[in-house]
Amino acid sequence: MESYEHDMLTEIERCLAREAPDLDARMDLLNQQFCGDVPDDPGPRKHLDWSVLALALVSLPTVGLMACAAARSPSPPSVDRVETSTSAAAW
């Protein structure tokens, strides 16, 4: 497209945006849909961010391993089973 034609189309788009913002928004939506343009504001994210996914992949196994280690650790001896090396009779 020649520079003159490009400048004319740009001016038409500016006038359209000024005079009919609703129509301009619809045209932008159609351009994005059919031309594959990336929108300026994609809105709320529908996919997880990589950092959140990485945190989950590291945290879940770590918590699981800690829970297994706590479950397998020996329990402290009870007070009833503690034997003393000296007795009261020996004194």
Side-chain angles (χ1 to χ4, degrees):
M1 182 181 309
E2 291 183 20
S3 176
Y4 176 74
E5 293 171 342
H6 187 271
D7 292 341
M8 290 298 292
L9 284 174
T10 303
E11 183 61 32
I12 291 170
E13 289 174 353
R14 282 189 204 133
C15 290
L16 175 64
R18 250 190 339 258
E19 294 172 7
D22 292 335
L23 181 59
D24 182 51
R26 284 190 215 150
M27 293 301 291
D28 284 343
L29 184 63
L30 287 172
N31 283 334
Q32 292 169 10
Q33 183 179 359
F34 292 110
C35 298
D37 291 344
V38 178
D40 294 335
D41 182 19
R45 291 184 179 176
K46 294 183 180 178
H47 302 288
L48 285 177
D49 195 338
W50 284 107
S51 59
V52 173
L53 183 61
L55 179 65
L57 288 175
V58 170
S59 299
L60 290 176
T62 303
V63 170
L65 287 173
M66 290 173 61
C68 286
R72 293 180 54 104
S73 67
S75 60
S78 65
V79 177
D80 296 337
R81 298 177 69 197
V82 175
E83 296 181 17
T84 59
S85 61
T86 61
S87 65
W91 287 61

